[in-house]
Amino acid sequence: FAAVFTLIQIIQISIGPRTWFPMVILQSVGGFCFAGMIMTSLAYLPEICELVGQEKHSKYTARFTAKQFSVQALFLMLVGGLSFAFGIAKNSTYTARMAMGLNSFVIAILFGVGWHKYMPSRPASRPLPEGLRSCTSVVVYGLKQNIATTKSIYHQYKKGLFWFLLAEVFAQSSVGALTTLAV
């Protein structure tokens, strides 16, 4: 996901009045890749919580979230400052291209170092059943697992977690759609 996401960000440097529609499509695919990366990262949280304890995990998660929003604000200020410094503040296309170029450069380095140097390999949490040879059969098996998990959540946590997760799905979709339409 990270490589495809980075490649999409690099391609989006060419955004302009005549390329907006392909960029919206790429933004949708990029959003899917980003969601996949986030989902993969979040899958480790319960295990990390068990290893370090609830209190330490809560502090770490809160600090990380605060840092994430701080970096977003700093990036926005950097793009704004650079667009004024380069005299392109009144041209949104040039500002968008500069922002995508800066973003592509930074994430290529960070993903490269993070995934290839610091991310350890991890064994599968459960083995795949015999006979799953093709990519399609693995995807179908994964979808069946997701459906089973959704049913389990619905039956065990009808009044709380299921409705929260359902609301989260729609909230994330609306935020993603807003971002895509803003392009």
Side-chain angles (χ1 to χ4, degrees):
F1 285 126
V4 174
F5 181 76
T6 303
L7 182 62
I8 288 171
Q9 301 307 301
I10 292 169
I11 293 169
Q12 286 187 327
I13 294 171
S14 65
I15 191 167
R18 286 177 273 184
T19 61
W20 70 270
F21 188 69
M23 296 304 157
V24 168
I25 294 169
L26 282 175
Q27 184 70 16
S28 299
V29 175
F32 174 79
C33 291
F34 185 71
M37 290 185 299
I38 295 296
M39 183 175 48
T40 304
S41 300
L42 294 178
Y44 287 98
L45 289 182
E47 187 176 333
I48 292 170
C49 186
E50 288 177 11
L51 292 173
V52 301
Q54 180 72 34
E55 186 176 331
K56 190 172 185 178
H57 182 263
S58 295
K59 287 179 183 177
Y60 173 77
T61 304
R63 287 182 188 141
F64 178 78
T65 302
K67 287 176 184 176
Q68 177 185 357
F69 286 113
S70 297
V71 169
Q72 286 178 344
L74 287 172
F75 183 78
L76 180 62
M77 289 187 286
L78 177 65
V79 168
L82 288 175
S83 68
F84 279 108
F86 291 134
I88 59 172
K90 293 183 180 181
N91 189 325
S92 61
T93 301
Y94 291 158
T95 301
R97 287 178 180 169
M98 182 194 63
M100 291 307 297
L102 182 61
N103 180 44
S104 299
F105 177 74
V106 171
I107 65 172
I109 292 170
L110 295 178
F111 280 147
V113 171
W115 285 104
H116 296 292
K117 186 173 182 181
Y118 293 112
M119 187 65 75
S121 62
R122 176 170 166 67
S125 60
R126 67 175 73 103
L128 289 173
E130 291 295 322
L132 293 180
R133 300 279 184 238
S134 70
C135 181
T136 304
S137 59
V138 171
V139 170
V140 170
Y141 177 74
L143 289 173
K144 287 180 182 177
Q145 288 291 108
N146 286 342
I147 290 169
T149 301
T150 302
K151 286 180 181 177
S152 173
I153 289 171
Y154 177 75
H155 291 299
Q156 292 179 18
Y157 306 102
K158 271 185 204 179
K159 295 184 180 179
L161 184 60
F162 176 77
W163 291 104
F164 170 77
L165 291 175
L166 190 61
E168 183 70 19
V169 165
F170 282 97
Q172 290 291 338
S173 297
S174 66
V175 168
L178 178 64
T179 304
T180 300
L181 292 174
V183 171

